[in-house]
């Protein structure tokens, strides 16, 4: 009789676990391979990929720097979840300013690769973005892509 109780309890756990929505971990390397972009980007040892569109000049940001920039963030399916400017041009309008150490890890390691006036595209795994829980319209375990133009470092 104890075995039946155990089996029923185990079955209920499996049932409720399968009902809970599970977000699949998306691997950014798989996305880059699938889209043919892998040969056009550089891989960083910290687990992300990037493409420096233009390096900029001057002093690269440190973790405690205030960075003023334009950006566009989107999922690998192309859905834009945030951006400065307009839908047709994320570099229009006013740039935004943040302290680098208050941003996601992917920006903290990626932005110092360029200098003011530079532009970079970051391809980030979930671990350097919003992790397993996501944020707002960003699902859990989502790989993220950011186009960033660094205006100034303060």
């Amino acid at each position: 009789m104890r075995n039946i109780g155990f089996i029923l309890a185990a079955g209920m756990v499996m049932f409720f676990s399968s009902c809970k929505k599970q977000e699949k971990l998306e691997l950014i390397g798989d996305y880059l391979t699938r889209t043919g972009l892998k040969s056009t980007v550089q891989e960083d040892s910290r687990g992300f990929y990037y493409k420096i569109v233009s390096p900029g000049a001057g002093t690269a940001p440190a973790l405690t720097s205030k960075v003023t920039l334009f950006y566009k963030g989107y999922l690998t399916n192309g859905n834009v979840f945030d951006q400065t400017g307009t839908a047709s041009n994320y570099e229009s309008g006013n740039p935004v300013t943040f302290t680098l150490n208050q941003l996601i890890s992917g920006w903290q390691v990626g932005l110092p690769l360029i200098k003011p006036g530079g532009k970079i595209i970051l391809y980030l795994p979930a671990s350097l973005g919003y992790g397993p829980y996501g944020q707002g319209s960003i699902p859990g375990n989502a790989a993220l892509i950011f186009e960033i133009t660094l205006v100034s470092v303060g």
Side-chain angles (χ1 to χ4, degrees):
M1 194 63 144
R2 283 189 214 170
N3 289 339
I4 292 174
F6 176 77
I7 291 170
L8 286 174
M12 288 177 65
V13 168
M14 288 174 59
F15 172 77
F16 287 113
S17 294
S18 66
C19 289
K20 183 180 176 192
K21 185 178 178 187
Q22 295 286 323
E23 298 290 349
K24 184 179 178 220
L25 179 62
E26 181 178 23
L27 301 177
I28 194 67
D30 291 348
Y31 163 79
L32 292 167
T33 299
R34 186 174 67 250
T35 58
L37 292 171
K38 198 160 192 177
S39 64
T40 68
V41 300
Q42 294 181 288
E43 183 175 5
D44 187 274
S45 62
R46 294 166 284 195
F48 69 98
Y49 295 83
Y50 64 95
K51 179 177 184 176
I52 296 176
V53 177
S54 114
T59 304
L63 272 179
T64 56
S65 298
K66 286 191 186 270
V67 292
T68 300
L69 47 83
F70 292 104
Y71 73 94
K72 177 180 176 181
Y74 49 100
L75 304 173
T76 57
N77 65 8
N79 289 346
V80 175
F81 56 81
D82 197 13
Q83 68 181 25
T84 55
T86 65
S88 62
N89 182 5
Y90 75 92
E91 294 178 315
S92 65
N94 295 319
V96 294
T97 301
F98 303 104
T99 301
L100 187 54
N101 64 8
Q102 296 175 337
L103 301 173
I104 61 172
S105 299
W107 282 36
Q108 292 177 21
V109 295
L111 274 176
L113 298 172
I114 60 171
K115 297 172 180 161
K119 183 173 183 176
I120 192 167
I121 303 172
L122 297 174
Y123 300 89
L124 304 176
S127 61
L128 294 177
Y130 295 98
Y133 303 106
Q135 175 79 20
S137 63
I138 302 168
N141 291 320
L144 306 173
I145 303 166
F146 289 97
E147 296 178 29
I148 303 169
T149 301
L150 183 58
V151 175
S152 66
V153 176

